[in-house]
C-alpha cells in the first residue's frame, strides 16, 4: 500500500496550481488581445468580457491558494481545523471550509453534487 502524507499531497497540488496559473495567464493575454479586436469590429464583446472576468477570478483564486500554500496556511478548514480533501482543493482552489462547515446552499455531497446532508 502506498501512503502519501499531507505535505507531499500539498506539494503536488502546488505544482498543479502553478501550472494552472500559467495557463490562465496565457489565456487572459489571448482574451485581452481578442477583446481589442472584437471592440474594433463590434462583435462578441459581451462574451469576451465574461470570459475575461472568469479567467481573472480563477487567477485570483489560484494566486491566493499559492500564497497560502507558501505560508503553510492552506488546506485546513477555517471552521473546524480539519484537513480539506486534496480533491476539493484541486477542484476549487479558493475553498476555505470543509464540506461540513460550508453554508447549506454550498455543501457538496460525497458525489460532488451541491446540496444534501454532510454530517460527520
Amino acid at each position: 500500500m502506498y501512503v502519501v502524507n499531507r505535505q507531499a499531497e500539498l506539494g503536488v497540488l502546488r505544482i498543479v496550481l502553478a501550472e494552472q496559473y500559467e495557463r490562465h495567464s496565457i489565456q487572459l493575454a489571448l482574451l485581452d488581445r481578442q477583446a481589442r479586436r472584437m471592440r474594433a469590429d463590434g462583435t462578441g464583446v459581451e462574451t469576451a468580457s465574461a470570459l475575461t472576468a472568469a479567467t481573472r477570478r480563477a487567477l485570483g483564486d489560484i494566486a491566493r491558494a499559492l500564497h497560502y500554500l507558501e505560508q503553510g496556511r492552506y488546506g485546513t478548514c477555517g471552521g473546524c481545523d480539519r484537513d480539506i480533501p486534496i480533491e476539493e482543493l484541486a477542484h476549487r482552489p479558493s475553498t476555505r471550509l470543509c464540506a461540513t462547515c460550508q453554508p447549506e446552499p454550498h455543501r457538496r455531497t460525497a458525489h460532488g453534487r451541491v446540496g444534501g446532508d454532510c454530517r460527520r
Side-chain angles (χ1 to χ4, degrees):
M1 180 169 147
Y2 180 69
V3 178
V4 177
N5 70 29
R6 182 73 171 178
Q7 291 307 314
E9 289 178 328
L10 289 172
V12 170
L13 183 59
R14 179 181 288 116
I15 293 167
V16 169
L17 290 173
E19 289 172 353
Q20 287 178 358
Y21 187 88
E22 181 66 25
R23 243 186 347 265
H24 283 297
S25 295
I26 292 167
Q27 181 180 14
L28 185 59
L30 293 172
L31 285 168
D32 283 342
R33 190 176 313 144
Q34 183 179 10
R36 282 192 297 273
R37 277 190 239 128
M38 288 179 169
R39 277 191 290 267
D41 67 16
T43 61
V45 175
E46 288 181 28
T47 302
S49 294
L51 287 171
T52 299
T55 301
R56 285 196 173 133
R57 276 191 304 276
L59 273 170
D61 289 347
I62 294 167
R64 277 186 293 284
L66 288 168
H67 175 75
Y68 288 127
L69 266 165
E70 291 303 318
Q71 293 184 335
R73 301 182 328 168
Y74 187 68
T76 303
C77 178
C80 67
D81 289 329
R82 291 186 183 183
D83 288 342
I84 299 170
I86 291 294
E87 298 80 15
E88 181 68 13
L89 295 170
H91 179 68
R92 290 186 2 195
S94 63
T95 299
R96 301 293 305 255
L97 299 171
C98 69
T100 301
C101 293
Q102 285 288 333
E104 189 65 37
H106 301 287
R107 283 193 185 157
R108 293 184 176 274
T109 66
H111 304 292
R113 292 186 300 268
V114 174
D117 188 11
C118 295
R119 293 188 191 121
R120 285 183 199 220

